[in-house]
Every structure is written in structure tokens, then in C-alpha cells.
């Protein structure tokens, strides 16, 4: 699937059978350029990752950034795998008297890259409660002239105006006080941020 494409720098990702992700950084321009993405944008979570160059078979580590200087009309391909085991969510200890459990989520938006005729953004969904969320929905209203062209780590309804983004099967559960992200690329000027960014959970 396409993760991002600004007309020159294109990022593609493919989930592999063992949970690794193959990432292709493709330079469609006429000179060498640096192409970057993140582990969260390709659907991986954690804080340490192994990047293996499939052309040279050399390996390196990263805390989340996936980047390379790619020659004109060239492609760098990495096999990305997590090198840490996620910490199991602790089992809640029951209390003698049930107490109300606050729940809910919030969403924040940030612009990652704006090239005038298009832009790339990311939204962070935060679980504000003391127990895990099982599903989330984010609503946001894009400015006039902005149209989503691709979106990852979420399922969107609509591409212009008010857009609804729901979780995918693999990131619907957010641990207590935890976060997850989804991102998208869009046509239009990214200098105007979406309005009415809200998050709801079942």
C-alpha cells in the first residue's frame, strides 16, 4: 500500500507473514533526495526497530525513523522488524466496591510536511482512562480545497469536508493512558489545520 507520495518521494509498505514490514523508498525525481517515513506510519509499534537493506543485506537500528538518501529514479528497500517485545498489559486488580471508571479519548493533529499543492499529516489518539479502549472514532473537518488522497492506520469515511476515521482491526485497542496514530496525505495547502478534531469510543 502507498504510505505517502508528494510527486517525487514515494513510500510503499507491505506487511510480511512474520509481522515484519517491507518498505520501499522510491525517488521519482531527477536528483538524489532524502526520503523518510516512520514505523508508526507503516503499522508498527514499539521503541526500537531493526532495518535490513534488502539490496546489501546490511542491518541497522532505529527508534522509529526510516530514512535514506535515494538516487534519482532509484529505490531503497528495507525489511523492518521490531526488536523489543511489547510489555503485557497488567491485569486490573478488582476492588471490593465497584467505582465509576472514567473513559474517553482525545485526538490531536499535527502537520508533518507541506509542499504547497499537498501535505502529509498525523493524528494521535490518546486513551485518557485507566482501562483499555476497545475501538475509537475520530472526526475532523478539512479546510476548503483539501482532499485526502491516502490514509493509513485507519479507515476513513469521506475525503473532503467532515471526515470520519475509525480504527483498523490491529489498532482498535489502546491501553490505559496509551496512544496510537494514523496519518494521511492530502491535496491542497496544509497551512490550515482541520477544525473540530474529536474522538469518541464505545
Amino acid at each position: 500500500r502507498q504510505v505517502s507520495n508528494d510527486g517525487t518521494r514515494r513510500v510503499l509498505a507491505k506487511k510480511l507473514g512474520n509481522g515484519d514490514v517491507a518498505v520501499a523508498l522510491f525517488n521519482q525525481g531527477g536528483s538524489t533526495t532524502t526520503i523518510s517515513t516512520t514505523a508508526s506510519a507503516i503499522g508498527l509499534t514499539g521503541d526500537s526497530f531493526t532495518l535490513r537493506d534488502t539490496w546489501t543485506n546490511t542491518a541497522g537500528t532505529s527508534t522509529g525513523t526510516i530514512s535514506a538518501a535515494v538516487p534519482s529514479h532509484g529505490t531503497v528497500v528495507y525489511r523492518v522488524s521490531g526488536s523489543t517485545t511489547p510489555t503485557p498489559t497488567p491485569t486490573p486488580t478488582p476492588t471490593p466496591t465497584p467505582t465509576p471508571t472514567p473513559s474517553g479519548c482525545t485526538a490531536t493533529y499535527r502537520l508533518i510536511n507541506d509542499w504547497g499543492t499537498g501535505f502529509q499529516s498525523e493524528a494521535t489518539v490518546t486513551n485518557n482512562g485507566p482501562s483499555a479502549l476497545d475501538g475509537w472514532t475520530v472526526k475532523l473537518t478539512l479546510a476548503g480545497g483539501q482532499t485526502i488522497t491516502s490514509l493509513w492506520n485507519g479507515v476513513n469515511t469521506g475525503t473532503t469536508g467532515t471526515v470520519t476515521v475509525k480504527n483498523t482491526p490491529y489498532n482498535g485497542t489502546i491501553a490505559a493512558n496509551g496512544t496510537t496514530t494514523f496519518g494521511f496525505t492530502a491535496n491542497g495547502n496544509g497551512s490550515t489545520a482541520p477544525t473540530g478534531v474529536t474522538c469518541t469510543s464505545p
Side-chain angles (χ1 to χ4, degrees):
R1 64 180 176 85
Q2 180 167 274
V3 176
S4 63
N5 184 1
D6 65 5
T8 299
R9 293 163 293 192
R10 189 179 185 195
V11 179
L12 303 173
K14 178 178 176 63
K15 192 85 169 181
L16 303 178
N18 67 343
D20 293 354
V21 178
V23 180
L25 310 176
F26 178 38
N27 179 8
Q28 301 176 120
S31 60
T32 298
T33 188
T34 298
I35 304 177
S36 302
T37 188
T38 63
S40 63
I42 64 171
L44 290 176
T45 58
D47 54 14
S48 181
F49 305 90
T50 299
L51 279 61
R52 182 170 296 279
D53 189 315
T54 59
W55 308 140
T56 64
N57 203 35
T58 57
T61 59
S62 171
T63 58
T65 299
I66 303 165
S67 182
V70 185
S72 171
H73 302 292
T75 304
V76 171
V77 179
Y78 288 122
R79 185 185 185 110
V80 185
S81 57
S83 58
T84 58
T85 302
T87 302
T89 303
T91 302
T93 302
T95 56
T97 304
T99 55
T101 302
S103 63
C105 58
T106 55
T108 56
Y109 167 92
R110 72 183 183 100
L111 178 68
I112 295 177
N113 190 15
D114 183 5
W115 52 92
T117 58
F119 60 95
Q120 180 180 346
S121 298
E122 183 179 74
T124 299
V125 181
T126 302
N127 176 9
N128 299 306
S131 59
L133 288 182
D134 186 14
W136 48 265
T137 301
V138 172
K139 288 187 177 180
L140 52 88
T141 301
L142 298 173
Q146 295 178 345
T147 303
I148 292 176
T149 55
S150 65
L151 186 142
W152 52 93
N153 294 341
V155 179
N156 61 301
T157 300
T159 57
T160 61
T162 299
V163 176
T164 299
V165 181
K166 293 181 178 292
N167 61 273
T168 65
Y170 59 79
N171 66 354
T173 301
I174 306 178
N177 301 310
T179 63
T180 190
T181 62
F182 67 87
F184 62 88
T185 56
N187 293 328
N189 192 318
S191 60
T192 303
T195 57
V197 181
T198 60
C199 179
T200 57
S201 59

